[in-house]
Amino acid sequence: MTMEQNKPRVYNGVVRPDYTPEAISSLKADEVFVFGSNLQGYHGGGAARAAINKFGAIWGQGVGLQGQSYAIPTMQGGVETIKPYVDQFIAFAKEHTELFFYVTRIGCGIAGFTDDEISPLFREAVGISNICLPETFE
């Protein structure tokens, strides 16, 4: 391992994990919880429930930033219907460098997709310094 690989990940002066933790129970002021939702914004289960209970997600808002959470719809059809929302998220993250985004395993719970189906949607996010992905997505 090189010295570069041993360096901790630091963003906005704060040490961050290399990958999104399995469970997130609290966030720093500049951190955002990215979760899979449905277009209706009915955040009833899985990571969506955590987003509404802990991170400011808004019932009835199925897309975008809300409190310290960001919704990406995953329940409206096949993987190809998720991609435009992932692309929109990546563009948003690039524009909001003051924030650090923890992407959960969107679509891999209640929506029923696999990591192998969803991870290619996030290829463009790999290497973006303020986006943290699940280890299973890389």
Side-chain angles (χ1 to χ4, degrees):
M1 221 176 229
T2 67
M3 200 66 142
E4 186 66 27
Q5 290 170 314
N6 281 330
K7 287 177 67 174
R9 178 181 190 163
V10 178
Y11 190 79
N12 285 347
V14 177
V15 175
R16 316 284 179 156
D18 289 332
Y19 300 103
T20 300
E22 287 284 322
I24 298 173
S25 57
S26 64
L27 295 170
K28 293 177 177 60
D30 67 342
E31 295 177 336
V32 177
F33 181 81
V34 181
F35 67 101
S37 68
N38 55 62
L39 286 169
Q40 299 77 26
Y42 298 161
H43 308 310
R49 183 184 216 72
I52 203 161
N53 288 342
K54 299 178 181 180
F55 306 124
I58 299 167
W59 190 265
Q61 184 176 331
V63 183
L65 188 67
Q66 37 197 301
Q68 277 188 274
S69 63
Y70 188 102
I72 297 176
T74 61
M75 303 282 288
Q76 65 279 354
V79 172
E80 70 285 351
T81 70
I82 301 169
K83 183 172 179 14
Y85 295 105
V86 171
D87 292 345
Q88 181 181 341
F89 159 70
I90 293 169
F92 182 88
K94 286 179 176 179
E95 290 173 18
H96 292 275
T97 56
E98 75 280 8
L99 299 173
F100 187 84
F101 298 88
Y102 288 106
V103 176
T104 63
R105 292 177 58 239
I106 70 147
C108 298
I110 297 166
F113 297 103
T114 66
D115 293 293
D116 288 342
E117 290 172 308
I118 298 295
S119 62
L121 303 180
F122 285 91
R123 286 292 170 244
E124 189 187 331
V126 174
I128 296 176
S129 57
N130 66 332
I131 298 177
C132 188
L133 298 172
E135 190 168 10
T136 55
F137 279 18
E138 289 197 12

